[in-house]
Amino acid sequence: MPQKNANASAVASAASERELVFQRLFDAPRELVFEAWTNPKHLPHWWGPNGFTTTIQEMNLRPGGDWRLTMRGPDGREYRSHIVFMEVSKPSRLVYRHESEPGTEPVVSFEVVVDFAQRGLQTEVTMRMTFDSAEKRNEVVEKYHADEGGRQTLAHLADYLPRITEGVLITEGEAVKGLVLERTFQAPRELVFRAWTDPAHLQRWWGPKDFTNPVCEFDARPGGSILIHMRAPNGDVYPMKGEVKELEAPSRLVFTSIALGEGGRELFENLNEVDFTEQSGTTKVTLRTTVLRATDVAPQFLAGMQQGWGQSLDRLADLCQSEANRS
């Protein structure tokens, strides 16, 4: 028995000399952290050390699936990687093998195990990188500062996670250029899609908290017109018109929205692209809003777009839950 324990200690010691281990606690549920780590839409927003940008060429999230990415450093140098998933256990664990692409430095191979542990309302992530030798591990630390790069990457993830639920506001200087927002609803896709396209449903959730819609017209067909009058709790009315550009039930909706001021003056126009993805009885909605044109008074309205859409989708979630319970 003592011999067995001695061997186990020796193995652990040898492994530690070949490893880099990173651990961090995130203020987000495990499912959200796992989604940010495995969705190619999210990864470019946080993956990589300070000053790096990341492009995902492909990502097949399954055992044996390929993940290819390119990181570009501040000096313009590219680091191309080929990763093969060995284990995908949503939302608790990822195991994958990393290989440098031919012609890129450093030439290094290592295995990564990422564990996602729920800690109350938080998630503890432990990432363990095991290299083929202690020499290779030391090389990437001493020459490429992989230890600091890993810490910086997880810090970027911590900064990014709140933006998934609150919406990613796209800005240029101080000007708002658009918004990207994802939300999952506990309802079938057909129901959620109908809530966006049936005026009787749309009227019940459109707009920020405590707003009503005394006028709500939505002609659900390509080329169909839209007219909504949002009434604030203080009685002020904010009219909006628009046009349906695409409608593919129940997967996609594209429409314009034009905010109107006094005398029907057009204040700004947005293009709204809404994709509906079914996920085992729930529905993920991805909203992309792009500001097409804006007047000089538009910024005061666009500044509240992130909060307004967030509250609208909160109301939509309540409506979908209510309708799902009735069916």
Side-chain angles (χ1 to χ4, degrees), residues 8 25 63 68 73 77 79 87 117 149 164 170 182 187-188 218 231 237 246 259 264-265 300 304:
L25 193 65
R68 297 180 189 273
R77 185 174 180 179
Y79 303 85
E87 179 184 341
I164 298 179
I170 302 169
E182 292 188 356
F218 194 101
R231 178 182 290 159
V237 175
E246 298 179 35
R265 180 192 179 195
Q300 60 181 303

Side-chain angles (χ1 to χ4, degrees), residues 23 25-26 28 30 116-126:
Q23 192 171 70
L25 193 65
F26 297 93
R30 183 167 60 166
F116 304 80
Q118 192 75 45
R119 305 288 187 231
L121 299 178
Q122 298 177 306
T123 303
E124 183 182 78
V125 170
T126 302

Side-chain angles (χ1 to χ4, degrees), residues 53-119:
T53 59
T54 298
T55 303
I56 310 295
Q57 281 80 39
E58 67 172 318
M59 189 176 193
N60 300 311
L61 190 65
R62 58 175 177 78
D66 294 312
W67 175 13
R68 297 180 189 273
L69 62 89
T70 300
M71 293 196 305
R72 181 187 294 270
D75 59 358
R77 185 174 180 179
E78 291 188 348
Y79 303 85
R80 299 187 304 278
S81 299
H82 176 207
I83 295 165
V84 178
F85 288 104
M86 302 165 65
E87 179 184 341
V88 178
S89 301
K90 183 178 181 180
S92 60
R93 173 173 265 219
L94 290 173
V95 181
Y96 49 86
R97 180 78 181 176
H98 174 284
E99 302 281 353
S100 301
E101 291 279 28
T104 189
E105 294 284 340
V107 179
V108 63
S109 301
F110 53 89
E111 183 177 304
V112 181
V113 178
V114 189
D115 286 308
F116 304 80
Q118 192 75 45
R119 305 288 187 231

Side-chain angles (χ1 to χ4, degrees), residues 128-141:
R128 188 179 303 273
M129 304 166 61
T130 303
F131 295 80
D132 293 342
S133 67
E135 290 75 14
K136 280 296 183 182
R137 182 261 190 205
N138 294 337
E139 177 186 358
V140 298
V141 169

Side-chain angles (χ1 to χ4, degrees), residues 218-254:
F218 194 101
D219 187 358
R221 60 184 177 85
S225 60
I226 303 168
L227 180 63
I228 301 176
H229 288 187
M230 295 191 301
R231 178 182 290 159
N234 64 1
D236 290 345
V237 175
Y238 300 89
M240 181 209 85
K241 68 177 182 179
E243 180 182 334
V244 177
K245 296 297 185 181
E246 298 179 35
L247 192 148
E248 300 175 10
S251 59
R252 182 169 170 82
L253 171 66
V254 180

